[in-house]
Amino acid sequence: MKKSIKRIVLWAAAVTAILTQVGYCNSGEQITVRPVEINDMLHNPDVGWCLYTHGPIHREEPLIETVTKYPMEIADPLVNPDCGWGIWVGPDVSDGNTSYNVGNLTTGFGDDVPLFSFVCIDWYWKDLEPQEGVFYWDDLDTVVNYWKARGKQINMRLWTTYNFGWGGQGGSRSAPDWLFDETGCKHFNVEIPYGASSNKTTIRAPDYADPIYLTKFGNFLKAARDHYEPEPSFYFIGWQAASYGPWGEWHESFGQYHWPSDEVQHETCVKMQNVYEGIFGSKCQMSIHGTCKYGKPLDKSYETWKYQVAMEEAAAKGWVLGRHSCLYPTKEKLWNLLKIRFFDEHWPSNALYGESSPAVYGGMARGEGGGLDVNLDGAIKMHYNWVHQYMTAYSYKKYPNIAYFERGLKAGGLGYRFALTSATYNKQVSAGSILTLNQTWVNRNVGRAYRVYPLKVYFIDPDTGREIWSGVDGKFDQTPWIKGESYNVASEFSIPSNIPPGTYELRIAMVDGTGAPRIALAITGGDTKKRYRIGSVIVSN
């Protein structure tokens, strides 16, 4: 390190000795020699100029020897949090009623679904709060705890409106009867398919603009949050806003609810968003739909389409934005083009996810519509972080398609895929000093990380495998990293003064808020705890 000079005083010594003559005898003769005087500048001890400084002076720090490593990338599929594939669990609907076969929603899959990182859970308000203030969590508890124990994240969708039916199943109400019978909440009637037949039945759905509805579903969501995630947890990937429209998709495409004006619709949607935001914070999700009236072409401008359901407000809050029905809108309809435009405008500021219906997945698995590769190509084109395709226990076992799911988890696939391309660090450090680790990273996939996973370093005893010390770089942030760029990061770690001297393995990991390694990196050297060996470091006294 260079230091600045504040003041310099030079002192000169006044004494200089010059030999002018010398004599000696040679065979009895005296010889006199007179040396020739020179004018050269002479440097001698104890004489000459003296440098006096007041304050710091320029000086060079001792050279620190470093070592650079270039980890080898791997091509294996990687299963990571907040991205990848999801399975689906939810109700069976028959004759307008719902039931939950807990065994089928858990052990019914036959294994721990190793290529899937999360579980999309659909559950109805009426089944969780059958009486106001009286909750029944038991079945949902069983499902949530089963999959959490297997390392899966939860994407929770608590429906408060109605299910219009899909995939040969009939529809069902989602709101509890007490909402209308005991609180005076307004409702509108919805004619839905009755069971698997072509018959129809009429159910009640809440009037979205009624303040009673906003208050009551808000109380229900608070109770769910307090029960499952009173503090932010790694295991909950998101809570989807499912309080408006059929399937909670933020549209009324079947034309059975009529807003008095675009302004009322917009204001009501903002109020709903604020309810979710106040309860779940940054973990909210919203389905972006396009139709305004079922079976009729969309005749709204792009700005009006966004305004009606407050899309820009949700995006500005950092909500996860999703597209339902199919992974990529291949039909050149106006509302499909509007979705593509909206997603393009909000990538990469917002996380994106995709959903396709079971009929779409099953058909493509049988080779229809170009097959599953077309499905995945569309998801990649849309920059989706994660995708679920209503993968039930039945479809999981009937259409395993391992190559398809593995492709989505390899380079160029869904979500993020981080590779460390170089790492430079101190070859030797002293106890009580600083370890500097300079890194270069790339993201090989089409999405990005939307939560920070700090970098942690470890000193590991090479003989015993015991962790001697670890430290975390709290400033490390991989959330801006996107495909096609490289990112240089400088991390510093304070080494304890009491660490024993020796040679240790240097390992790294990306960790969650508890310090547990969470991210599988696309490099060699990983252990069973997702810590990656970079090289060795010497610690001296």
Side-chain angles (χ1 to χ4, degrees):
M1 178 184 296
K2 299 282 188 181
K3 306 252 185 199
S4 63
I5 298 175
K6 290 186 177 178
R7 186 176 68 183
I8 298 178
V9 178
L10 296 176
W11 288 347
V15 178
T16 302
I18 302 174
L19 180 63
T20 61
Q21 179 177 311
V22 63
Y24 61 91
C25 293
N26 184 10
S27 303
E29 288 185 52
Q30 180 175 333
I31 300 175
T32 300
V33 177
R34 293 181 173 81
V36 177
E37 192 173 341
I38 63 175
N39 293 318
D40 299 19
M41 182 173 62
L42 304 178
H43 297 276
N44 282 312
D46 306 324
V47 295
W49 293 101
C50 174
L51 178 65
Y52 167 76
T53 69
H54 177 71
I57 187 173
H58 286 300
R59 62 186 178 87
E60 295 286 346
E61 293 288 354
L63 182 64
I64 298 176
E65 187 176 0
T66 61
V67 60
T68 300
K69 299 291 185 179
Y70 302 94
M72 182 179 298
E73 284 194 51
I74 60 174
D76 304 41
L78 301 179
V79 178
N80 273 317
D82 311 329
C83 68
W85 300 105
I87 59 171
W88 178 86
V89 300
D92 292 324
V93 181
S94 175
D95 297 332
N97 297 309
T98 55
S99 63
Y100 301 86
N101 185 334
V102 172
N104 192 47
L105 304 180
T106 53
T107 56
F109 282 81
D111 62 20
D112 293 345
V113 293
L115 293 177
F116 293 75
S117 58
F118 73 96
V119 182
C120 180
I121 298 179
D122 285 344
W123 225 269
Y124 293 172
W125 181 9
K126 69 182 183 66
D127 300 317
L128 293 172
E129 192 179 9
Q131 301 176 46
E132 184 174 10
V134 178
F135 300 96
Y136 177 75
W137 306 112
D138 292 4
D139 289 344
L140 184 53
D141 283 350
T142 300
V143 173
V144 169
N145 293 332
Y146 178 87
W147 291 113
K148 282 176 61 178
R150 285 150 183 80
K152 308 303 177 184
Q153 293 181 295
I154 305 299
N155 182 27
M156 189 72 83
R157 308 197 304 191
L158 303 179
W159 295 20
T160 66
T161 56
Y162 65 96
N163 168 14
F164 197 77
W166 80 89
Q169 288 192 340
S172 169
R173 62 188 175 89
S174 300
D177 285 335
W178 61 259
L179 177 68
F180 313 113
D181 297 338
E182 300 175 15
T183 72
C185 180
K186 298 176 184 177
H187 71 275
F188 66 99
N189 293 326
V190 183
E191 189 179 66
I192 62 172
Y194 185 74
S197 69
S198 59
N199 296 327
K200 299 291 183 69
T201 189
T202 300
I203 62 169
R204 293 180 293 182
D207 184 323
Y208 308 122
D210 191 329
I212 295 176
Y213 171 57
L214 272 75
T215 298
K216 298 304 180 181
F217 88 71
N219 293 340
F220 162 64
L221 294 176
K222 288 177 185 175
R225 187 272 319 273
D226 291 345
H227 184 77
Y228 288 106
E229 196 183 17
E231 297 294 333
S233 166
F234 161 80
Y235 285 102
F236 281 84
I237 194 174
W239 296 77
Q240 182 159 321
S243 58
Y244 170 37
W247 310 297
E249 288 187 342
W250 285 70
H251 64 92
E252 190 53 59
S253 61
F254 301 101
Q256 300 185 54
Y257 183 84
H258 301 282
W259 292 98
S261 67
D262 289 348
E263 289 74 20
V264 172
Q265 182 179 6
H266 175 84
E267 291 170 3
T268 301
C269 288
V270 170
K271 290 177 182 178
M272 288 183 180
Q273 289 179 12
N274 290 339
V275 170
Y276 280 90
E277 183 80 9
I279 297 171
F280 302 114
S282 62
K283 289 193 173 183
C284 299
Q285 301 176 3
M286 178 179 174
S287 168
I288 302 299
H289 208 273
T291 54
C292 293
K293 293 183 178 180
Y294 184 66
K296 297 181 180 180
L298 183 68
D299 56 358
K300 304 291 184 180
S301 70
Y302 179 59
E303 295 302 323
T304 299
W305 176 73
K306 292 190 299 179
Y307 175 77
Q308 287 176 322
V309 293
M311 292 182 190
E312 289 292 356
E313 284 80 355
K317 292 180 175 74
W319 283 26
V320 176
L321 307 175
R323 189 198 185 282
H324 290 189
S325 183
C326 60
L327 295 186
Y328 183 73
T330 54
K331 296 180 181 179
E332 295 298 314
K333 293 181 179 179
L334 176 59
W335 58 273
N336 275 335
L337 298 177
L338 295 183
K339 292 179 190 179
I340 294 175
R341 178 178 171 182
F342 187 77
F343 273 34
D344 285 346
E345 288 178 357
H346 292 85
W347 154 257
S349 60
N350 295 82
L352 307 179
Y353 77 90
E355 170 190 292
S356 67
S357 71
V360 170
Y361 174 76
M364 288 191 167
R366 294 188 297 271
E368 300 171 10
L372 287 172
D373 281 337
V374 172
N375 210 34
L376 180 54
D377 289 343
I380 290 171
K381 186 174 183 179
M382 296 291 282
H383 295 282
Y384 290 146
N385 247 47
W386 59 83
V387 166
H388 92 89
Q389 299 168 105
Y390 283 96
M391 180 63 65
T392 63
Y394 170 79
S395 54
Y396 178 77
K397 290 182 287 190
K398 184 173 179 62
Y399 305 112
N401 299 299
I402 292 176
Y404 167 69
F405 293 111
E406 285 187 341
R407 182 188 159 214
L409 302 175
K410 291 183 177 181
L414 303 171
Y416 58 84
R417 183 186 179 92
F418 297 136
L420 177 67
T421 58
S422 71
T424 301
Y425 60 92
N426 313 61
K427 184 177 182 180
Q428 180 172 331
V429 293
S430 301
S433 66
I434 300 295
L435 171 70
T436 300
L437 177 60
N438 294 317
Q439 316 125 61
T440 301
W441 293 89
V442 294
N443 177 5
R444 301 298 189 194
N445 281 13
V446 300
R448 68 175 180 86
Y450 289 88
R451 285 198 277 186
V452 174
Y453 291 87
L455 185 74
K456 190 173 185 177
V457 297
Y458 304 81
F459 287 175
I460 305 295
D461 187 316
D463 297 323
T464 65
R466 185 170 64 92
E467 179 184 320
I468 302 301
W469 167 82
S470 63
V472 176
D473 177 7
K475 297 180 180 179
F476 187 90
D477 181 3
Q478 64 277 78
T479 58
W481 301 352
I482 61 175
K483 185 180 178 182
E485 304 289 339
S486 62
Y487 300 89
N488 297 319
V489 181
S491 301
E492 290 187 342
F493 305 90
S494 298
I495 309 301
S497 58
N498 61 348
I499 189 170
T503 300
Y504 301 110
E505 290 183 2
L506 177 64
R507 298 186 193 179
I508 64 168
M510 292 185 184
V511 299
D512 65 14
T514 69
R518 290 294 185 185
I519 307 298
L521 301 177
I523 58 174
T524 58
D527 61 19
T528 56
K529 297 180 179 180
K530 296 181 181 177
R531 303 175 304 180
Y532 292 81
R533 186 183 186 279
I534 301 303
S536 297
V537 62
I538 301 170
V539 176
S540 60
N541 287 325

